[in-house]
């Protein structure tokens, strides 16, 4: 009968402990949500979602896809992110255990009967009742931290995918620039040999020879610079893929590469669901919001139940006699009375931390909209710029061919040829860079819309 009463008391305490819960209820902050993107399609299908497009489907280069897959497997930032997730999960498990009773045991043996401490073997139980919701708020805070940590992993995953792709495009751009420079150097060296022979024969002035010699040196000096850039990019890609820095395999050239740009451009509010960085900051805000309830509960009394059962005796030989058996159940309460406003200010501190997290969430959302707008504009403008630059290269090549023919027929000085050749060289390099930027802008648009992490 006595044990039944104890059980009823414990059950009643457990029920009551879940009946009250102080602290504010979470409300999602209002966000300014424009109906459409300024540079997006005005007839947007709001049900479309870029997260349904797997990252590997937007590239047509198996070598690049292989590098990205290797990065997903080996990248150390991703491995650290996974470790942080497991750490957050373990912290949540520890906090959940606080909701339930804890059980322990203790024992000691003393041979001297006159010793102050008796011999004993006792099992004990202690339980802090979550009457005001302190532990539940703490659990919710840690659960949201876990979710935020997982979203942070998705952010890193997106950065790894886009980082490898963009670095690869830049690497192929420098490969192309190196080919252009080597071809230009060969053309200038051939011209130098011809002009040098004509100078030695007295057909041209020394000025022509000096001018072409200068252009040969300029082309030669560009090659080491480009090779340094290639090495730096290869090392960058190696680090992203978790490998020892070294040569990186090549696939298609940038001219052969294609990146899908026909992504579903949903309304800006969809970024709240698509973008892992936006979702991460919202989970952090939720977590900070829950800590307000923890701080408020700390201002109120805490209730504890303790129980023990076991044997204790002055004489070791009588330790397990029936007369040595003991059991007891007790309850306690403890709470603050006056501490000069410390607990009140703790609530205010946590409230302001939550407010700061809310502003970070709102700022991240606005930044996401800005990044999409920039990416949409970049994709469109780089396409227009590439078309114009391509026409320039075609015209510059024709101008060089005509100037070269006019010079060898004696109609113009070699200065005109040099100017035409310099314009062609610069236009070819600019077109190569624009091809890379066009590819990179499409990847950045995919990333800005919230793709790449699934």
């Amino acid at each position: 009968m006595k044990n039944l009463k104890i059980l009823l008391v414990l059950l009643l305490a457990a029920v009551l402990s879940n009946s009250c819960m102080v602290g504010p209820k979470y409300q999602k902050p209002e966000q300014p949500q424009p109906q459409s993107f300024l540079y997006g399609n005005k007839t947007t299908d709001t049900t479309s979602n870029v997260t349904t497009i797997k990252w590997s489907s937007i590239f047509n280069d198996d070598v690049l896809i292989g590098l990205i897959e290797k990065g997903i497997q080996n990248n150390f930032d991703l491995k650290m992110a996974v470790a942080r997730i497991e750490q957050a999960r373990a912290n949540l498990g520890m906090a959940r255990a606080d909701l339930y009773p804890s059980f322990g045991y203790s024992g000691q043996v003393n041979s001297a009967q006159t010793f102050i401490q008796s011999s004993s073997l006792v099992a004990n139980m202690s339980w802090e009742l979550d009457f005001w919701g302190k532990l539940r708020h703490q659990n919710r805070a840690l659960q949201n931290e876990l979710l935020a940590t997982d979203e942070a992993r998705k952010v890193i995953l997106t950065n790894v995918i886009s980082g490898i792709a963009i670095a690869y495009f830049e690497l192929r751009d420098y490969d192309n620039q190196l080919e252009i420079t080597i071809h230009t150097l060969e053309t200038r060296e051939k011209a130098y040999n011809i002009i040098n022979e004509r100078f030695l024969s007295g057909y041209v002035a020394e000025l022509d020879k000096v001018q072409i010699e200068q252009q040969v040196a300029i082309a030669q000096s560009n090659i080491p610079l480009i090779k340094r850039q290639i090495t730096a990019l290869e090392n960058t890609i190696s680090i992203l893929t978790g490998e020892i820095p070294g040569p990186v395999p090549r696939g298609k050239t940038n001219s052969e590469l294609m990146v899908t740009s026909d992504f579903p451009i949903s309304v800006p509010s969809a970024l709240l669901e698509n973008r892992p960085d936006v979702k991460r900051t919202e989970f952090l805000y939720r977590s900070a919001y829950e800590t307000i309830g923890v701080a408020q509960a700390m201002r109120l009394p805490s209730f504890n139940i303790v129980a023990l059962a076991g044997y204790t005796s002055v004489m070791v030989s009588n330790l397990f006699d029936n007369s040595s058996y003991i059991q007891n159940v007790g309850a306690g309460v403890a709470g603050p009375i006056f501490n000069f406003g410390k607990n009140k200010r703790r609530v205010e501190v946590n409230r302001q931390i939550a407010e700061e997290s809310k502003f970070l969430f709102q700022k991240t959302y606005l930044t996401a909209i800005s990044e999409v707008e920039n990416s949409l504009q970049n994709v469109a403008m780089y396409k227009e710029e590439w078309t114009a630059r391509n026409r320039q290269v075609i015209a510059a090549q024709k101008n060089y061919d005509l100037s070269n023919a006019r010079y060898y027929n004696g109609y113009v000085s070699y200065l005109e040829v040099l100017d035409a050749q310099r314009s062609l060289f610069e236009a070819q390099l600019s077109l190569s860079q624009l091809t890379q930027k066009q590819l990179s802008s499409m990847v950045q648009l995919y990333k800005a819309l919230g793709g790449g992490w699934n």
Side-chain angles (χ1 to χ4, degrees):
M1 186 69 181
K2 183 177 180 181
N3 291 334
L4 181 61
K5 290 181 179 179
I6 294 173
L7 181 61
L8 289 174
V9 170
L10 291 175
L11 290 175
L12 180 62
V15 172
L16 290 175
S17 68
N18 287 280
S19 61
C20 299
M21 193 169 180
V22 299
K25 292 184 178 180
Y26 174 78
Q27 291 184 344
K28 194 169 186 175
E30 294 184 2
Q31 297 279 23
Q33 297 180 0
Q35 296 300 314
S36 62
F37 291 104
L38 181 63
Y39 299 108
N41 187 353
K42 303 303 180 184
T43 59
T44 299
D45 179 8
T46 57
T47 62
S48 299
N49 193 323
V50 73
T51 58
T52 60
I53 301 176
K54 186 168 176 58
W55 65 264
S56 57
S57 65
I58 70 174
F59 302 114
N60 68 330
D61 187 344
D62 291 337
V63 173
L64 173 57
I65 292 174
L67 288 171
I68 293 175
E69 288 176 343
K70 193 178 295 183
I72 293 173
Q73 293 295 324
N74 301 333
N75 184 268
F76 286 102
D77 288 330
L78 272 175
K79 289 182 178 180
M80 289 188 288
V82 172
R84 284 193 290 269
I85 290 175
E86 295 304 318
Q87 178 184 347
R89 185 174 286 114
N91 284 333
L92 178 59
M94 290 169 55
R96 283 176 175 170
D98 291 336
L99 290 168
Y100 306 101
S102 62
F103 298 88
Y105 62 89
S106 63
Q108 62 182 12
V109 176
N110 297 307
S111 60
Q113 297 182 12
T114 58
F115 198 74
I116 298 176
Q117 197 74 24
S118 302
S119 298
S120 63
L121 181 62
V122 178
N124 57 73
M125 183 273 289
S126 64
W127 188 9
E128 180 182 352
L129 301 179
D130 191 26
F131 197 82
W132 310 113
K134 180 182 71 174
L135 299 178
R136 279 169 287 167
H137 278 300
Q138 187 175 8
N139 270 267
R140 291 179 184 179
L142 289 173
Q143 186 175 21
N144 281 290
E145 283 187 16
L146 173 60
L147 294 172
T149 306
D150 186 50
E151 295 301 328
R153 179 193 61 83
K154 295 175 183 178
V155 173
I156 294 174
L157 177 59
T158 303
N159 290 337
V160 168
I161 293 171
S162 60
I164 292 174
I166 292 173
Y168 183 80
F169 297 151
E170 292 176 351
L171 177 62
R172 299 304 281 137
D173 171 37
Y174 279 112
D175 288 340
N176 189 47
Q177 289 189 42
L178 183 60
E179 289 183 12
I180 293 170
T181 305
I182 290 174
H183 176 72
T184 301
L185 175 60
E186 292 172 351
T187 302
R188 290 178 181 181
E189 285 177 337
K190 290 178 181 178
Y192 171 78
N193 293 333
I194 294 173
I195 292 173
N196 187 48
E197 289 179 4
R198 297 186 71 185
F199 166 70
L200 294 175
S201 301
Y203 289 108
V204 297
E206 185 178 7
L207 179 62
D208 287 1
K209 175 195 169 187
V210 173
Q211 286 175 334
I212 185 60
E213 189 174 11
Q214 179 184 3
Q215 295 305 311
V216 169
I218 290 174
Q220 287 175 333
S221 66
N222 280 341
I223 291 176
L225 173 62
I226 296 173
K227 287 183 176 179
R228 290 200 302 270
Q229 297 290 347
I230 288 174
T231 300
L233 282 167
E234 285 182 326
N235 292 340
T236 297
I237 293 174
S238 295
I239 292 173
L240 287 171
T241 55
E243 295 186 324
I244 296 174
V248 171
R250 273 34 167 210
K252 297 181 178 180
T253 64
N254 280 351
S255 298
E256 298 168 332
L257 277 164
M258 290 173 51
V259 177
T260 302
S261 59
D262 189 21
F263 303 127
I265 312 299
S266 54
V267 295
S269 59
L271 295 179
L272 294 172
E273 300 299 328
N274 296 349
R275 293 264 303 221
D277 56 340
V278 176
K279 294 170 70 174
R280 171 182 172 271
T281 52
E282 183 181 5
F283 283 129
L284 289 176
Y285 173 46
R286 284 174 174 266
S287 177
Y289 207 81
E290 293 293 339
T291 59
I292 299 174
V294 175
Q296 288 181 339
M298 292 177 68
R299 301 182 65 186
L300 301 170
S302 61
F303 300 92
N304 296 273
I305 293 177
V306 293
L308 63 86
Y311 298 90
T312 180
S313 173
V314 174
M315 300 179 62
V316 177
S317 58
N318 299 330
L319 180 60
F320 295 105
D321 291 347
N322 290 334
S323 60
S324 299
Y325 178 76
I326 61 170
Q327 67 176 18
N328 185 43
V329 176
V333 60
I337 296 178
F338 185 71
N339 55 11
F340 300 94
K342 179 180 179 180
N343 289 332
K344 180 180 179 181
R345 288 182 175 87
R346 184 188 294 114
V347 174
E348 184 61 25
V349 167
N350 283 275
R351 197 184 302 278
Q352 294 307 316
I353 291 175
E355 193 74 1
E356 181 182 356
S357 299
K358 181 184 76 172
F359 294 145
L360 177 61
F361 169 48
Q362 293 174 323
K363 177 185 175 182
T364 304
Y365 172 63
L366 293 179
T367 302
I369 295 178
S370 175
E371 289 178 356
V372 174
E373 295 284 17
N374 290 339
S375 298
L376 287 169
Q377 183 72 330
N378 286 342
V379 168
M381 294 300 101
Y382 279 136
K383 184 177 181 179
E384 290 184 15
E385 189 177 351
W386 188 93
T387 302
R389 190 69 71 180
N390 189 49
R391 291 200 305 267
Q392 180 188 359
V393 169
I394 295 172
Q397 181 67 58
K398 188 172 183 180
N399 181 41
Y400 170 70
D401 294 339
L402 292 174
S403 298
N404 206 41
R406 281 161 58 85
Y407 170 74
Y408 285 109
N409 284 285
Y411 292 111
V412 295
S413 69
Y414 196 69
L415 185 62
E416 180 178 312
V417 179
L418 290 176
D419 185 61
Q421 189 183 64
R422 185 165 48 248
S423 296
L424 173 62
F425 181 51
E426 292 174 354
Q428 288 174 329
L429 293 180
S430 295
L431 183 63
S432 180
Q433 292 171 357
L434 273 174
T435 304
Q436 173 265 313
K437 290 179 179 178
Q438 196 173 15
L439 292 169
S440 298
S441 67
M442 295 173 187
V443 173
Q444 288 167 341
L445 174 60
Y446 178 62
K447 175 185 173 183
L449 289 169
W453 53 263
N454 56 339

